[in-house]
Amino acid sequence: MTSDTEHGNRPLRADAERNRGRIVEAAREVFAAHGLAASLDDVARTAGVGIGTLYRRFPTKEALLSAVFDQVVVEITDEVDRHAANQDPWAGLVALITDVLQRQSGDRGVFEICTKADFGHLERISAHYVPAVEALITRAKAAGQVRADVTGTDIGPVIVMLSAVGDATRAADPQLWRRYLALVLDGIRAPGVSPLHPNRVSHTELMAAISSSRV
Amino acid sequence: MTSDTEHGNRPLRADAERNRGRIVEAAREVFAAHGLAASLDDVARTAGVGIGTLYRRFPTKEALLSAVFDQVVVEITDEVDRHAANQDPWAGLVALITDVLQRQSGDRGVFEICTKADFGHLERISAHYVPAVEALITRAKAAGQVRADVTGTDIGPVIVMLSAVGDATRAADPQLWRRYLALVLDGIRAPGVSPLHPNRVSHTELMAAISSSRV
DNA sequence: GTAGAAGCGGAGGGAACACCTCCGCTTCTG
DNA sequence: CAGAAGCGGAGGTGTTCCCTCCGCTTCTAC
């Protein structure tokens, strides 16, 4: 955010640096509202600069996405690691799911970098997410907090599910997803009642499936 | 499907009638795979006819959508009414949710006519769906089968949620949504554990929100 | 103050993709 | 077998992207 150079070389002129900041800020807003497919013309308009200015600073769309989301990825992975370290595994799991959803609800850009493989952020996130969730689920099951037939690979789909309901109901009530989170948590909690359809799908297969859906 | 006239007037020539059938069938397939935004060129190609032939028979995209989905809407509303009449309200509710999801999982076209207001099918469906679900929930709560803090307006979001997970995990395992259905059903079942975020949103508001999401 | 480097805006090129029209040619039917 | 009906698909029109180019403006170092 506060980098005052372009590629670590010559510092930018003051007005250029100011515009760069505006562009990143506008991109964040626009991607949050319309997803990563939003047009760069839209970003430039929101930033109040010409499209040429945007492209001089960020030669490709991907460069802009990096500038906007690299920091967010670090925040998310830190958060995930922190929750994994929670002494109470159930509390950690709930906090992890809640935090991820809170970030995603209301920010379609974040949602998409977490679920679409297109731009490489997903890999970095899942490298932290997968072991964290596996450890939490194992510990929570050992403590009798989570039903025995739930696995670590179920949490990804649970997040997708709640994220979808958050998106769908946002216009009616932006916090309504919390209601369905509570419902689903009650479903995950021990002891289960309904028998579960078997889940023989790996994290890797799930990631691939999720990021390829709704093309 | 077996209509052998265009607007109830002169019957079509045999080859034209044959092509009309192929077009409707191809449209069903293409919309199922790619959603209602799929292009009519794609439909024509799949049907093995020229784009001109398609447009002569269906002057607008909407006419084709009607030909494809009007019957589906009737089937859905019949199904919904039938489940509402189930003596065991819990069994009826589960069957209703399962049937809707079964139809939607694997058919993006059906999913979209059920959730997007664009083409007017949603209204016809919800005219049956809303009273059916309200009656089932009321009866199921009276029988102690559903937790007291769940309402009729929760079932729509639940379907959206499971439909999203079905879509996301389809490539990994097309039946995996059943696993999360069981999880959610356990969450809906009486007695609840986690307190639910209040739901002060009407069916109408929810429909509007859902059909306007992911524009 | 000023020269010139740095930066700026936005028209527009090029590509992709959608819906739909038109018309010369083909096929069916009475 | 005549002529009505139907056919195909090139192409018109429109939209929406990403990105380039270049004449003009603004900043900054001296």
Side-chain angles (χ1 to χ4, degrees):
Chain A
M1 280 303 169
T2 57
S3 87
D4 54 359
T5 67
E6 192 156 16
H7 288 108
N9 298 337
R10 191 192 298 100
L12 290 178
R13 225 169 68 177
D15 54 345
E17 180 63 29
R18 197 162 48 239
N19 281 336
R20 187 186 184 281
R22 277 186 197 149
I23 290 167
V24 171
E25 200 176 338
R28 182 81 204 245
E29 279 174 41
V30 170
F31 291 142
H34 307 301
L36 304 186
S39 79
L40 298 194
D41 297 66
D42 198 358
V43 172
R45 204 177 318 117
T46 305
V49 303
I51 186 67
T53 301
L54 188 155
Y55 274 97
R56 196 171 324 96
R57 214 52 67 209
F58 304 98
T60 65
K61 189 170 189 174
E62 193 157 350
L64 179 57
L65 287 169
S66 258
V68 174
F69 289 112
D70 279 359
Q71 179 56 27
V72 175
V73 169
V74 172
E75 288 170 28
I76 292 176
T77 55
D78 284 357
E79 214 166 65
V80 165
D81 291 345
R82 200 172 63 250
H83 291 311
N86 193 316
Q87 279 208 321
D88 178 348
W90 176 256
L93 190 63
V94 171
L96 187 154
I97 296 173
T98 308
D99 275 5
V100 170
L101 283 168
Q102 197 150 16
R103 266 182 197 284
Q104 289 185 356
S105 87
D107 194 322
R108 242 160 94 171
V110 171
F111 172 72
E112 290 180 18
I113 62 159
C114 291
T115 49
K116 304 291 168 193
D118 302 352
F119 299 101
H121 294 109
L122 178 56
E123 285 184 1
R124 272 179 283 162
I125 293 173
S126 62
H128 290 247
Y129 164 86
V130 171
V133 165
E134 283 299 339
L136 282 170
I137 288 281
T138 305
R139 287 167 55 211
K141 275 157 79 166
Q145 295 169 313
V146 162
R147 57 194 288 178
D149 48 4
V150 160
T151 72
T153 53
D154 288 324
I155 305 306
V158 160
I159 291 173
V160 166
M161 188 156 94
L162 290 163
S163 176
V165 85
D167 184 65
T169 61
R170 176 157 51 238
D173 175 352
Q175 296 295 317
L176 199 57
W177 60 270
R178 295 181 186 277
R179 185 172 172 85
Y180 304 101
L181 170 60
L183 228 46
V184 171
L185 288 178
D186 277 6
I188 290 176
R189 220 187 280 269
V193 179
S194 309
L196 300 184
H197 183 276
N199 175 359
R200 301 198 181 81
V201 181
S202 69
H203 277 290
T204 317
E205 288 167 311
L206 271 177
M207 296 277 180
I210 291 170
S211 55
S212 73
S213 64
R214 288 294 150 107
V215 184
Chain B
M1 279 301 167
T2 55
S3 86
D4 54 359
T5 67
E6 192 156 15
H7 287 107
N9 298 337
R10 191 191 301 98
L12 290 178
R13 224 170 67 178
D15 53 344
E17 180 61 30
R18 198 161 49 238
N19 280 336
R20 187 187 183 283
R22 278 186 197 150
I23 290 168
V24 171
E25 200 176 337
R28 182 82 205 243
E29 279 174 40
V30 170
F31 291 142
H34 307 301
L36 304 186
S39 80
L40 298 194
D41 298 66
D42 199 357
V43 172
R45 205 176 316 118
T46 305
V49 304
I51 185 67
T53 301
L54 188 155
Y55 274 98
R56 195 171 324 97
R57 214 51 68 207
F58 305 97
T60 65
K61 189 170 188 173
E62 195 156 349
L64 179 57
L65 286 168
S66 259
V68 173
F69 290 112
D70 279 358
Q71 178 56 28
V72 176
V73 169
V74 173
E75 288 169 28
I76 292 176
T77 55
D78 283 357
E79 212 166 67
V80 165
D81 291 343
R82 199 171 63 249
H83 291 312
N86 193 316
Q87 278 208 322
D88 177 348
W90 175 256
L93 190 63
V94 171
L96 187 154
I97 297 173
T98 308
D99 275 6
V100 170
L101 283 167
Q102 198 149 17
R103 267 183 195 283
Q104 289 185 357
S105 86
D107 194 322
R108 241 159 93 172
V110 171
F111 172 71
E112 289 180 18
I113 62 159
C114 291
T115 49
K116 303 293 169 192
D118 303 352
F119 299 100
H121 294 110
L122 179 56
E123 285 184 1
R124 273 180 282 161
I125 293 173
S126 61
H128 291 246
Y129 164 86
V130 171
V133 164
E134 284 298 341
L136 282 170
I137 287 281
T138 306
R139 286 167 56 213
K141 275 158 78 166
Q145 294 168 312
V146 161
R147 56 194 288 177
D149 48 4
V150 159
T151 73
T153 54
D154 288 323
I155 305 305
V158 160
I159 290 172
V160 165
M161 188 157 94
L162 290 163
S163 175
V165 85
D167 185 65
T169 61
R170 176 155 52 240
D173 175 353
Q175 296 295 316
L176 200 59
W177 60 269
R178 295 181 186 278
R179 186 174 172 84
Y180 303 101
L181 169 59
L183 227 47
V184 171
L185 288 178
D186 277 6
I188 290 175
R189 217 187 282 270
V193 179
S194 308
L196 299 184
H197 183 276
N199 175 359
R200 301 199 182 79
V201 180
S202 70
H203 278 289
T204 317
E205 288 168 311
L206 270 177
M207 297 278 181
I210 291 171
S211 56
S212 73
S213 63
R214 287 292 149 111
V215 182

